[in-house]
Every structure is written in C-alpha cells, then in structure tokens.
Amino acid sequence: MPIPTPAELAEFSARRARLLKAIGPEGIAIVPAAREVIRNRDSHYKFRQDSDFWYLTGFNEPESIAVFAPNRRDGGQPAEYLLFTRPRDKAREIWDGRRAGPEGAVSQYGADQGFVLEQLESMLPRLLAGRQQIHYTLGEHPHWDAKLTACVREIREVSRRGPDAPGSFIALDSTLHEQRLIKSAAELELIRKACEVSAAAHLRAMKMTRPGAWEWQVAAEIHHEFERNEMEPGYGSIVGGGDNACILHYKENESRLRDGDLLLIDAGGEYRGYTADITRTFPVGGRYSGAQKEVYEVVLAAQRAAIAELKPGVSSARPHEVATRTLTEGLVALGLLHGDPTELIATDQHRQFYMHGTGHWLGLDVHDVGRYKFDGKPRPFQAGMVMTVEPGLYIAPDTEGVDPRFLGIGIRIEDDVLISDEGPQVLTAGAPKAIADVEAAMRG
Ligand code: GLY
Ligand code: MN
Ligand code: MN
C-alpha cells in the first residue's frame, strides 16, 4: 500500500480526532496491527492489515501498535497519537521490504510520536496510569491481553501511593465501530470503485462462461479483473455450478460446468481495504430454463422489495422481513411450500429454502462492524451506511416432496447499497440481474 497522500493523511487524522473525542480524557485506546500468518513452512499468507488499525493509521505494516491517549503531552508538545513500529533494519529491508520505522511513523504517517514496538512494554505503566478506561478489544491478541492485564494489576498494587489503576476494559464496538459504520465521502469513493470493478468482473464472468468450462477458470477470470485494477478478492470467492450453488459456503471451485445448470458466483474485490460483495446466478448455457426462471423471478422480486426499504429512519430489520415475506409467498405460488405465508414464516418453514439473513453492513470487513440492535431492538437506518441485500432460495437436490424440476436450483442475488437521503443507491448495478439483461450480456 503506498504512503498516504496529504488528502489521505487528513482523512486518517480526522478519524483519530473523532476517536480521541469519543474516548475522552479518562480513556486510552490501544489498537494492535494484524499479525503475519504462516501459510506453510517459511512462507506467509499475503499480509492484510487489521481493519480497525488501518482505519485509524493508514499504516500497512505488521508488528505495530497504535496508542491514542487524549490530552497527553510530552515535553510540552501534544503527544496523543503514538505509533509503535518495527525498527528500521537494513538487512531485513533488503530481504523483506521497506519499513517506515519510528521516524517514518511521524514524518510519513502523522503520528505525534514514533517508537519501536519493544519500547511499549516499558512505557505502558506511565501511559495507563490515571486513565479510567482502556479501550481495547480483549481476546483477539492474547500476547497483548496478558501484558495489558499484568500492567493494570501492577498499577493497582501501587495505586495506594500513586495514580488510580484503570477500572475497565471496553471493546471498540461502542466508539470506533459506530464510527466505522457511517462511511465518509472518502470511504465511499473507495467503496464505489470496489463495487464498480467487482460488477465488471461479474459481467466478464457471464461473458466467458460456457458449458465445459471449469469453476476455477471462471474464478480466475474474476480475479484477473480485480488484479488489473489494483484489487484482490475481499473474501473467498464462491463459484458454484449446478448443485454446488446449494452449498452456501462452497469454496472448492473445482467442478466442470454443465449445460442446463445455473452458476452462482459470490465474489467481491477489495480496493484499499474496502470490499464489494456481489452475487449473481446465471445459466451456464446462456438461457434460464422454465423452472430456473420461476425461482429466479421470486428471488429478484424479494431483492428489489428489500432494497426499497433501505432508507434513513426505516428499521434495519425491514429488508429481511420484506424479503422473507416475498420469498415465502413465492414458494407457496410455486408449490414448494403449502399453507398461509404468515403461518409458514411464524413456524420457520421457509428456512428449508431460505436459511440465511438478507444482508449485513459492508466496508473494510465484508461482514463489517457496527451494531444491528440496541436494547434488543433493531436500529433504524442512517444515511452513510452501506449494506448488502442478498436473498436467495436453495432447493437441495435431495429435497423430498417437491416437484423434481426444482431440485438442485440454488439462486442468490446480492447487491451493495448505500443508504442516503436521496433513496437507496445500488453501487453494484453494473452487474446485470434482470433475466433479459443477463441473457443479453451472455449472448454479447
Ligand atoms: N460473501 C459473503 C456474504 O455474502 O455474506
Ligand atoms: Mn454478503
Ligand atoms: Mn456475498
């Protein structure tokens, strides 16, 4: 990831200012970077920064920690944002790549002070003493959990003679994650790019898919479109033909595509940390069969009805209620369920064919942070939230008691939607989803 531009630095700085304000002078926030993960022997998976850390720092190195200490001063200078990094190391940089080091943390990334990570442990007692709350998500970084709790214990032991020990650890949900949930203009620019390129990748998959092609070949086509746009998959791509579409988290992508089958693709590219999340389901041979069309139209109607609910002030539970209702009515109309839709939903019978939720927040994480409920009640939508809308129907090949022409049909349609005062904005509209549009794209 390139060194941030001045405009990007200003954005990261504004985010930090909001966090510092939210945690207040009695708090301190400690946010570790992601760790490098071994893939096999001495090879690592490609490094992906921790989303919270990235959101606040724009710093893409492992073995780093950011500390946010409101109102802290050092030598008369403001010293609220401390970045602890790997040391500069000529030999290691020749082998493994550039390091900013503590100096770069200040000059390139806007930290008030930079240190090497080794210094953090000895600095912790003075950083924590006198702060009431430590904003830190316990349970994700066991090494630092132990160091922080030990440090708090030590401060407590000497507190009769000195400053009070912090009284609580607070997860970052109520501050940082609420902040991350409402996207800034700069974030929306990145999300729009991720969505546009990902939609183009789905279109490309439609154009190249033929009977006899392999799922992994289609996946490669999609990933090529991501990579030529400076992106990578934001999560494991699902490319499932025929019955494989009925496996919700199918990830083998190893089968050959057959004429007459549907292909379900759930794939989204990540740009500068922000991912899209798109699903399209289209016929391998270019034309939907009668039964496929019937099920598809039900899912599409449910998706459109759910998208219409993404407006400020509307309960965030509405899209799922509306989608579930439309799908269940459709299942009854198709003879796949029998009875009164209200009763069927109340007794969860629709879950045989629709067993997942209708959407989730989207951003730096594909299942992005932010609460869905307060006091057990669904929160209302606000402008600036981005959510997926992804109803589906899955009629497993071994389902008993249904018309055999529906067996093995798995359909999901997923778009990414910005909630705005002007109404729902579908950011992934570049990927066709109406039957006529999909078939036209596959012909052309
Ligand atoms: N691709 C993950 C999801 O749709 O939730
Ligand atoms: Mn999704
Ligand atoms: Mn998805």
Side-chain angles (χ1 to χ4, degrees), residues 31-35 47 49 53 57 59-66 83-86 115 117 120 141 144:
V31 185
R35 300 170 78 103
F47 179 71
Q49 189 53 281
F53 184 91
T57 66
F59 187 62
N60 200 37
E61 294 187 25
E63 293 173 65
S64 309
I65 288 196
L83 190 51
F84 295 81
T85 71
R86 302 179 296 187
F115 302 94
L117 187 57
L120 177 56
H141 306 273
W144 286 104

Side-chain angles (χ1 to χ4, degrees), residues 235 266 277 360 366-367 390 412 414:
Y235 55 91
D266 184 345
D277 183 6
H360 49 83
V366 63
H367 296 159
E390 49 180 304
R412 178 165 65 256
E414 176 173 28

Side-chain angles (χ1 to χ4, degrees), residues 150-198:
C151 182
V152 169
R153 195 175 55 237
E154 271 169 39
I155 301 172
R156 203 183 294 132
E157 277 166 15
V158 299
S159 68
R160 270 170 293 133
R161 286 169 276 126
D164 284 346
S168 53
F169 280 93
I170 302 179
L172 289 162
D173 305 32
S174 58
T175 51
L176 186 62
H177 292 177
E178 283 300 302
Q179 196 179 322
R180 277 178 54 191
L181 179 56
I182 308 295
K183 274 62 183 177
S184 69
E187 289 184 288
L188 288 173
E189 241 181 79
L190 305 179
I191 292 172
R192 279 182 201 282
K193 162 134 183 183
C195 286
E196 281 163 19
V197 171
S198 300

Side-chain angles (χ1 to χ4, degrees), residues 91-311:
R92 289 264 50 94
E93 288 182 59
I94 286 170
W95 285 91
D96 298 332
R98 297 183 181 90
R99 296 176 172 199
E103 303 79 19
V106 174
S107 62
Q108 298 172 336
Y109 292 89
D112 294 329
Q113 293 182 313
F115 302 94
V116 293
L117 187 57
E118 270 187 359
Q119 292 174 272
L120 177 56
E121 204 173 334
S122 63
M123 289 174 67
L124 264 181
R126 285 188 48 205
L127 286 170
L128 298 185
R131 304 269 171 184
Q132 296 299 310
Q133 307 91 20
I134 304 176
H135 294 259
Y136 170 84
T137 307
L138 283 166
E140 291 184 7
H141 306 273
H143 172 79
W144 286 104
D145 291 359
K147 295 231 179 282
L148 283 170
T149 47
C151 182
V152 169
R153 195 175 55 237
E154 271 169 39
I155 301 172
R156 203 183 294 132
E157 277 166 15
V158 299
S159 68
R160 270 170 293 133
R161 286 169 276 126
D164 284 346
S168 53
F169 280 93
I170 302 179
L172 289 162
D173 305 32
S174 58
T175 51
L176 186 62
H177 292 177
E178 283 300 302
Q179 196 179 322
R180 277 178 54 191
L181 179 56
I182 308 295
K183 274 62 183 177
S184 69
E187 289 184 288
L188 288 173
E189 241 181 79
L190 305 179
I191 292 172
R192 279 182 201 282
K193 162 134 183 183
C195 286
E196 281 163 19
V197 171
S198 300
H202 278 260
L203 182 59
R204 191 169 166 148
M206 287 176 192
K207 289 182 184 299
M208 68 81 67
T209 294
R210 301 267 177 282
W214 293 83
E215 290 169 349
W216 42 265
Q217 289 176 324
V218 181
E221 194 79 5
I222 288 177
H223 298 160
H224 177 73
E225 189 64 21
F226 293 164
E227 292 204 11
R228 66 193 280 272
N229 284 286
E230 209 187 342
M231 288 168 42
E232 59 190 293
Y235 55 91
S237 302
I238 297 170
V239 182
D243 296 352
N244 294 341
C246 294
I247 302 169
L248 295 181
H249 290 161
Y250 175 73
K251 50 189 166 307
E252 289 79 2
N253 302 344
E254 64 188 1
S255 302
R256 200 157 194 181
L257 299 173
R258 295 181 317 188
D259 200 10
D261 279 350
L262 290 174
L263 174 59
L264 182 154
I265 300 180
D266 184 345
E270 178 178 298
Y271 181 65
R272 304 270 155 110
Y274 291 84
T275 192
D277 183 6
I278 306 181
T279 307
R280 289 292 183 267
T281 311
F282 53 91
V284 170
R287 288 184 68 86
Y288 293 89
S289 73
Q292 290 167 352
K293 262 188 196 163
E294 288 169 48
V295 180
Y296 192 94
E297 290 293 11
V298 170
V299 177
L300 186 56
Q303 205 232 12
R304 289 193 162 132
I307 288 174
E309 299 293 332
L310 271 71
K311 290 181 293 205

